[in-house]
Amino acid sequence: MANIKVLSVFGTRPEAIKMAPVCRALSETGGIASVCCVTGQQRDLLPPMLAHFGIKPDYDLNIMGHNQTLTDITVNALTGLEPILREEKPDVLLCHGDTSTTLAAALAAFYQKIPVGHVEAGLRTYDRYSPYPEEMNRTVVSRLAMFHFCPTVQNKRNLEKEGVARHLYVTGNTVIDAISQTVAGDYDFSSPTLQEIVGRDGPIVLVTAHRRENYGIPLENICRAILDLTQKFPDLRVIWPEHPSPVVRGTIYPLVRGKPNIYLVGPLDVLQMHRLMAKCTFVMTDSGGLQEEAPALGKPVLVLRRETERPEAIEAGTAILAGIERERITKLACALIEDAGLYNKMASAVNPYGDGHASRRIISFLQWHFGRLAAPLDEFEVQA
Ligand code: UDP
């Protein structure tokens, strides 16, 4: 019987981290020919992630340009993918999440009638401009895709409500598979600076913020809340692997750079990032990935957004929607530092996002669909 040919396409840091375990598992599975194409939507952030997971892309579209617009990304990815799809003729194209790369990949495959498997399907805020453009990207991809790999039951229900009737399958989030590869055994930090900062006594808050909706005043509010915290708790360290976006740096540098106990350490490779998360006291973030990863590592999360497409952690009690106002963020962070009862309750709540076997489930589903397996693995269920 011929191999099932699976072409995986991704282009940004979070996609690489979340698709890496899938690509690795695909290449280790007999009867599957795995081909990997990166678009290079985030040129600088991608290679360290690929190197860590040992992924050598078969194709690199290298589309990232100076001041690239959403149109540039989509058009260049769409144009670049067309000949690759014609040449490779995969049985299925896998794309991930909600970026412009995801949308372009799904559309390119649809144009050639190649079935699309959407990994991390069904997340929604139901606000078309928040997150922007991600909410619309993922909504459109749900129309283009044939197989919907939903991290949670809630994501599956979202799609059912939208009338997606077939091939919905709850897998858990592949980022939890990635964590089991990055935070294993004993480890140190390869950066001596990080090793030294982490080694001191006192609470550590891990901060990231980069979303377009938080550009401007919200990001300034976040910085001011962080300054409030470091002033109130002299032994508190804030470690902020700041996003390289000039807009983010342009806002945060004048406010927090060089301030006592605030460490802007630049983008970290995934190993250091996950390990830092495992060592920190709690996380303050607007990142989607961190909202999923932190609960898996037993770390409370303050979500620095007005809404989230990841309500599961809030319902499970591992995360609080802190919003983007300085006073509320400060108040909640103080509570996490001062109220041991609250902290322990959040730190010990159940991780709703996965059990580390999402990649295996996705592959079993494809094997079943293409007639190589009698049934896919059981769907992911949260263990109480
Ligand atoms: N991440 C990383 N280094 C960093 C910041 C983030 O490895 O300096 C990882 C993080 O652990 C998560 C992913 O990148 O797996 C999240 O990426 P990002 O916050 O850019 O995007 P989002 O999750 O919001 O889509």
Side-chain angles (χ1 to χ4, degrees):
M1 210 182 260
N3 283 341
I4 309 167
K5 189 185 267 195
V6 184
L7 173 68
S8 305
V9 182
F10 50 90
T12 65
R13 171 174 67 187
E15 289 171 287
I17 294 171
K18 291 170 162 183
M19 284 302 284
V22 181
C23 291
R24 190 184 259 189
L26 282 168
S27 61
E28 288 168 0
T29 306
I32 290 188
S34 173
V35 183
C36 170
C37 171
V38 296
T39 62
Q41 179 176 334
Q42 287 181 338
R43 183 72 278 157
D44 305 336
L45 295 176
L46 208 53
M49 304 301 151
L50 298 175
H52 168 68
F53 289 106
I55 292 176
K56 292 196 183 69
D58 301 282
Y59 298 95
D60 184 347
L61 302 183
N62 198 11
I63 61 167
M64 184 167 164
H66 189 58
N67 288 335
Q68 61 186 356
T69 64
L70 294 173
T71 307
D72 296 332
I73 301 168
T74 310
V75 168
N76 292 334
L78 201 51
T79 314
L81 279 166
E82 181 170 342
I84 296 171
L85 293 178
R86 280 199 203 295
E87 168 73 22
E88 293 287 348
K89 299 188 177 48
D91 296 298
V92 58
L93 176 143
L94 289 184
C95 58
H96 179 279
D98 51 25
T99 67
S100 300
T101 287
T102 319
L103 175 62
L107 189 57
F110 170 75
Y111 283 161
Q112 296 189 41
K113 298 192 179 160
I114 294 165
V116 174
H118 187 199
V119 180
E120 199 176 271
L123 279 68
R124 296 288 186 270
T125 58
Y126 294 106
D127 178 344
R128 60 167 46 217
Y129 293 118
S130 183
Y132 167 84
E134 290 86 357
E135 176 72 5
M136 190 53 72
N137 284 344
R138 60 195 172 209
T139 305
V140 174
V141 172
S142 294
R143 295 293 161 279
L144 296 166
M146 199 130 113
F147 315 122
H148 310 269
F149 301 116
C150 306
T152 69
V153 174
Q154 168 106 37
N155 303 144
K156 181 176 174 176
R157 288 199 194 116
N158 288 343
L159 291 175
E160 284 168 345
K161 272 192 283 177
E162 292 171 22
V164 180
R166 296 189 64 221
H167 298 326
L168 296 155
Y169 179 54
V170 181
T171 59
N173 198 302
T174 56
V175 82
I176 310 299
D177 306 15
I179 282 196
S180 55
Q181 294 170 22
T182 52
V183 190
D186 287 339
Y187 53 79
D188 284 329
F189 292 91
S190 54
S191 148
T193 316
L194 214 48
Q195 181 76 13
E196 194 275 315
I197 304 169
V198 170
R200 291 186 222 150
D201 287 337
I204 300 175
V205 184
L206 171 61
V207 176
T208 77
H210 72 286
R211 305 202 79 83
R212 276 193 182 76
E213 315 86 79
N214 279 346
Y215 284 179
I217 305 288
L219 205 45
E220 288 175 18
N221 291 345
I222 292 166
C223 289
R224 295 208 165 86
I226 286 166
L227 288 167
D228 292 344
L229 287 178
T230 49
Q231 274 155 22
K232 186 163 163 121
F233 303 100
D235 64 344
L236 177 102
R237 284 142 298 155
V238 171
I239 306 183
W240 187 338
E242 86 277 14
H243 198 279
S245 149
V247 184
V248 172
R249 288 187 163 163
T251 306
I252 71 174
Y253 278 7
L255 288 166
V256 294
R257 187 152 71 157
K259 292 289 186 303
N261 290 338
I262 301 180
Y263 302 94
L264 301 177
V265 293
L268 295 176
D269 68 61
V270 64
L271 269 188
Q272 301 210 70
M273 185 64 184
H274 284 177
R275 290 169 179 187
L276 181 56
M277 216 179 306
K279 290 269 191 233
C280 77
T281 311
F282 64 92
V283 174
M284 292 172 50
T285 191
D286 66 5
S287 155
L290 268 83
Q291 286 177 62
E292 295 152 350
E293 293 162 338
L297 295 167
K299 305 299 172 179
V301 184
L302 297 183
V303 181
L304 305 172
R305 292 176 58 184
R306 284 200 193 86
E307 82 290 276
T308 176
E309 58 286 85
R310 293 169 172 85
E312 296 87 351
I314 291 166
E315 283 154 21
T318 69
I320 296 176
L321 196 58
I324 44 163
E325 300 303 335
R326 171 182 179 174
E327 289 73 22
R328 183 168 150 82
I329 297 169
T330 310
K331 197 169 146 222
L332 288 167
C334 288
L336 270 176
I337 295 163
E338 292 174 327
D339 181 346
L342 171 71
Y343 181 85
N344 291 334
K345 201 165 151 228
M346 289 183 74
S348 58
V350 168
N351 155 33
Y353 291 117
D355 57 3
H357 300 299
S359 309
R360 283 183 51 218
R361 288 197 182 87
I362 291 168
I363 292 171
S364 79
F365 184 94
L366 295 176
Q367 289 172 314
W368 166 73
H369 179 80
F370 289 102
R372 311 301 202 274
L373 209 61
L377 294 173
D378 289 343
E379 290 185 293
F380 165 65
E381 274 179 47
V382 178
Q383 301 300 315

